[in-house]
Every structure is written in C-alpha cells, then in structure tokens.
Amino acid sequence: EVQLVESGGGLVQTGGSLRLSCVASGFTFTRYHMSWVRQAPGKGLEWVSGIVSGGGVAMYADSVRGRFTISRDNAKNTLYLQMNSLKPEDTAVYYCARSPAFDGSYYSPEGQGTQVTVSS
C-alpha cells in the first residue's frame, strides 16, 4: 500500500520559513519523480515543484521560484520542500505526490497533506 505522510506545516508570518517533509513507503521511491502540490481554500490543486527520481534536477512554478527549494533523500525515502520568504498567497494544504513524468504532471495526492498558513 502506497503511503505518503506529509509534515512540517504550521502558522508563520509573512517573510517566514518552513520546511515540509514527506515520508514515502509502499513503493520503490527511487523509481519515481516526485512533486509538491498545494490546494488553497476554495481552489483546485496547483503544482508547485518537481524533482527527478535521482534528485539532481528540479523545477518550480513561477509563483515560488527563487523562494522554495525541493530536495529528496533517497536513502530515507523522504521528500522535502524548504519554503522561504513566505507570502499570504502561499497559504494552502501541501501534498507530496508521485509524478509519471518530469513535466509538472502528478498522480492524485495519496496523503493527508500538511496545512501551511501565512499571516499578513
């Protein structure tokens, strides 16, 4: 059974930082590209960032480029998202997701997500 467990969210002021983690199990983590996606209140899922299976290449949505950094530790089956210079518009539930390709696509999130709230 595939399990993706996100953590690290919380309440932070504008300009603050958070580091999200996603621990994966139930599948071969090293075979998958991975993504972070988010869902703001009343809106659909938005792709945020992706990283290749080996971890050497990443890409970002325009809205977060230069502020967020995605990384992974394949030895620990863990995906990370370092979020700096947070803005109120970053408020959302953040999910990690497996990706079928390194092109901004992703499978439906399979975890419970972690809430990030940025106060102004």
Side-chain angles (χ1 to χ4, degrees):
E1 177 189 5
V2 171
Q3 286 195 324
L4 296 169
V5 180
E6 301 94 343
S7 63
L11 173 64
V12 64
Q13 292 185 334
T14 296
S17 298
L18 286 172
R19 189 193 193 205
L20 307 184
S21 298
C22 168
V23 178
S25 62
F27 64 99
T28 304
F29 185 66
T30 54
R31 291 185 179 176
Y32 283 86
H33 307 315
M34 295 294 294
S35 292
W36 285 99
V37 300
R38 66 187 180 186
Q39 186 165 28
K43 298 189 176 181
L45 287 170
E46 175 192 16
W47 175 84
V48 173
S49 180
I51 189 167
V52 296
S53 57
V57 183
M59 60 180 181
Y60 300 91
D62 290 345
S63 58
V64 307
R65 187 176 295 112
R67 300 188 297 120
F68 290 10
T69 303
I70 190 172
S71 62
R72 64 192 293 165
D73 185 337
N74 284 347
K76 295 182 178 180
N77 283 6
T78 302
L79 180 72
Y80 302 100
L81 186 68
Q82 177 67 44
M83 306 188 296
N84 298 329
S85 302
L86 283 160
K87 305 175 180 180
E89 52 264 44
D90 295 318
T91 295
V93 178
Y94 284 71
Y95 302 90
C96 62
R98 296 185 290 170
S99 294
F102 187 61
D103 59 0
S105 61
Y106 53 90
Y107 295 113
S108 295
E110 295 158 290
Q112 84 288 350
T114 186
Q115 175 71 50
V116 171
T117 302
V118 185
S119 63
S120 57

